[in-house]
Amino acid sequence: MKILLLGAGGREHALAWKLAQSKQTEKIYVTSGANAGLLEVCEEIGIKALEGAKLAEFAKENKVGLVVIGPEAPLCAGVAEELRKSGLAVVGPDLKGSRLEGSKIFAKKFMRKYGIPTADFRIFSDPALAKDYVSSIGGRCVVKADGLAAGKGVFVCFSEKEALEAVKATLEDKEFGAAGSEILIEEFLEGEEASILALTDGKTIVPLESAQDHKRVFDNDRGPNTGGMGAYSPAPVVTEEILETVRRDILLPTLKGIREEGMDYRGVIYAGLMIGPKGVNVLEYNVRFGDPETQAVLPRLKNDLAEVFQAVEQGRLGDVRLEWDERAAVCVIMAAPGYPGKYPKGLPITGLEEARALPDTYVFQAGTVRSGGELLTNGGRVLGVTALGATIGEACRAAYEGVGKISFPDAHYRRDIAYRALKNRK
Ligand code: AMP
Ligand code: GLY
């Protein structure tokens, strides 16, 4: 079977790496802009992930048996739906399903309707009303732009001043354009975060092993939010008991909502959780694999991913039993200096082969390009180094051993990935 993969980053490299191991996979095509790691396993087709009509034409002409969509942008633009209409087999939700990520307000209303636990919220489009509300609750809250804002539209506010600034940035200064013309003001929830990614074919919902990412750029969760500076799996905060709660109170009601709303949802649903004194609450949905959670979770999956995806697409997920490597995985992201702000490109990378040669160590490329014989940085998040180990501590040591083999000028990485899991174990 020929597969077409949409996307260009580290998550997609992990997906392609895993798909390439399947006996079913004859060839993997990838959309334009793919990093150097992807190009080792895929053939680039020179069509962008958002160009639905061209992708459909290409996929039909080349007898593509399965389309896998990595990022949210094509999903939220309706590309899955468009490809399906031309008869292609696609892993990824339709436009309506994708709104669970594309509109935070839509997601909140969905959660309220189906009784899925989430922080209390109010919706505003008038800045004066939003400011009055913020003042009335004393400031501590979370302000969120409704639409896609590349992870930047969320303001966790600790004071009235911060909350008023967040309202100004979104509703008055329109920093996020139309994505911020409506906002949510949410109750602040305490606790520890974890991610549960689940597969669904619209009939069955099957969680993957738990994971946790690190969103802040610096150690001890300081500095601005990024796409993710590292991840580990499993997340010890997700005990058997918590997982049972997640199944009963979150995943099954989510599936019920998907069905009752008439979504064609064949793909991944990702619930970002806050686990704390108020129980297990959903902070957000994503409608795709997480980046870098995928780089930590997929190396633990024993199943043939191409077969699993076919089952998702054909509505046979109920027949699939996922099997997992008992070992833990830790992924450390190496980023360009300055990320998530401005950063240079074209820095030469060395040592990747040495890192890859270590046992149970995988280097997933995110922002890289090959030029001449050289591997160069080409993005903010450059590489994800994942290692497996008997415990999270051992996986962590192994991942950092891999990181230690690789260098590029002023490479930045956090030195405390998985610290919460290690602390919890003690
Ligand atoms: P989101 O994109 O909605 O997941 O928000 C990004 C980050 O903001 C989350 O990973 C949390 O760290 C934080 N956050 C979002 N909503 C809340 C909330 N209601 N209470 C506390 N922290 C939150
Ligand atoms: N790592 C968070 C995300 O993929 O949205």
Side-chain angles (χ1 to χ4, degrees):
M1 172 174 68
K2 293 179 188 165
I3 297 174
L4 169 60
L5 175 62
L6 275 57
R11 159 186 50 211
E12 287 76 23
H13 188 197
L15 286 165
W17 163 82
K18 186 72 184 159
L19 287 168
Q21 291 165 23
S22 168
K23 281 200 274 304
Q24 308 252 6
T25 306
E26 207 179 300
K27 179 175 209 163
I28 308 174
Y29 295 111
V30 67
T31 49
S32 39
N35 64 53
L38 274 164
L39 296 182
E40 286 172 16
V41 270
C42 308
E43 181 182 320
E44 194 180 301
I45 61 169
I47 303 173
K48 297 195 188 97
L50 286 169
E51 296 178 308
K54 284 190 188 168
L55 290 173
E57 197 182 321
F58 173 90
K60 289 183 73 170
E61 222 160 75
N62 291 279
K63 305 204 164 33
V64 165
L66 188 69
V67 182
V68 177
I69 305 184
E72 62 276 18
L75 291 167
C76 293
V79 170
E81 204 162 308
E82 190 171 356
L83 296 180
R84 259 189 210 120
K85 275 196 192 119
S86 31
L88 293 158
V90 182
V91 178
D94 68 356
L95 202 49
K96 191 161 189 195
S98 302
R99 290 194 78 204
L100 289 173
E101 176 164 359
S103 166
K104 289 183 187 287
I105 293 175
F106 178 84
K108 282 295 225 183
K109 288 181 173 165
F110 176 95
M111 287 186 252
R112 190 171 268 174
K113 183 167 175 188
Y114 293 98
I116 295 157
T118 189
D120 269 341
F121 66 97
R122 301 269 298 260
I123 299 164
F124 294 95
S125 54
D126 178 339
L129 293 178
K131 287 178 178 179
D132 283 349
Y133 177 68
V134 158
S135 300
S136 77
I137 58 169
R140 191 160 210 211
C141 64
V142 184
V143 176
K144 299 183 178 181
D146 175 45
L148 290 182
K152 291 187 184 129
V154 176
F155 300 82
V156 178
C157 306
F158 293 93
S159 66
E160 186 178 337
K161 183 168 169 280
E162 282 178 1
L164 292 173
E165 278 165 11
V167 170
K168 183 170 182 293
T170 47
L171 291 181
E172 284 178 354
D173 300 345
K174 306 261 177 236
E175 279 181 23
F176 306 97
S181 61
E182 278 193 294
I183 60 169
L184 284 166
I185 301 184
E186 280 185 25
E187 164 198 21
F188 177 89
L189 292 174
E190 317 257 1
E192 190 169 335
E193 287 178 58
S195 309
I196 293 288
L197 283 73
L199 294 170
T200 182
D201 57 2
K203 295 188 253 175
T204 310
I205 190 160
V206 179
L208 308 182
E209 284 281 279
S210 62
Q212 167 138 28
D213 76 342
H214 295 260
K215 290 203 171 75
R216 304 296 198 95
V217 72
F218 299 126
D219 285 9
N220 298 313
D221 293 321
R222 285 178 303 113
N225 267 330
T226 67
M229 292 300 294
Y232 56 94
S233 172
V237 62
V238 184
T239 57
E240 271 304 316
E241 198 188 336
I242 297 268
L243 188 61
E244 202 33 56
T245 305
V246 171
R247 251 186 237 279
R248 185 190 61 221
D249 297 345
I250 295 170
L251 296 181
L252 291 176
T254 297
L255 180 61
K256 180 167 186 271
I258 283 172
R259 297 171 67 113
E260 289 189 10
E261 298 298 313
M263 296 169 180
D264 181 353
Y265 207 119
R266 288 175 268 169
V268 178
I269 177 94
Y270 163 140
L273 308 175
M274 183 68 92
I275 302 166
K278 292 208 164 173
V280 186
N281 280 278
V282 177
L283 294 181
E284 63 161 350
Y285 286 117
N286 292 323
V287 296
R288 40 141 185 112
F289 281 97
D291 188 343
E293 288 92 329
T294 306
Q295 293 90 308
V297 170
L298 284 188
R300 299 186 56 217
L301 180 68
K302 290 186 177 168
N303 300 62
D304 178 321
L305 188 62
E307 281 176 11
V308 172
F309 279 167
Q310 281 181 301
V312 165
E313 197 277 324
Q314 294 163 5
R316 293 186 287 102
L317 186 58
D319 301 337
V320 173
R321 241 198 77 223
L322 295 183
E323 290 183 50
W324 297 97
D325 191 323
E326 287 298 317
R327 290 175 298 171
V330 171
C331 172
V332 178
I333 297 292
M334 299 182 77
Y339 173 78
K342 276 173 82 127
Y343 53 81
K345 289 184 178 180
L347 307 171
I349 303 168
T350 55
L352 200 134
E353 293 310 321
E354 287 87 324
R356 244 186 198 172
L358 295 169
D360 295 317
T361 304
Y362 309 97
V363 182
F364 297 114
Q365 302 187 32
T368 60
V369 65
R370 208 166 266 290
S371 168
E374 251 189 332
L375 188 65
L376 305 174
T377 71
N378 193 40
R381 289 191 289 177
V382 177
L383 301 167
V385 181
T386 299
L388 294 167
T391 61
I392 290 187
E394 279 180 34
C396 203
R397 264 191 299 282
Y400 280 107
E401 191 182 338
V403 168
K405 302 276 182 209
I406 300 175
S407 55
F408 55 86
D410 299 316
H412 168 68
Y413 57 89
R414 281 181 58 159
R415 304 185 188 240
D416 66 345
I417 297 304
Y419 77 93
R420 270 204 206 85
L422 297 172
K423 195 175 66 193
N424 286 351
R425 278 170 43 82
K426 276 178 196 148

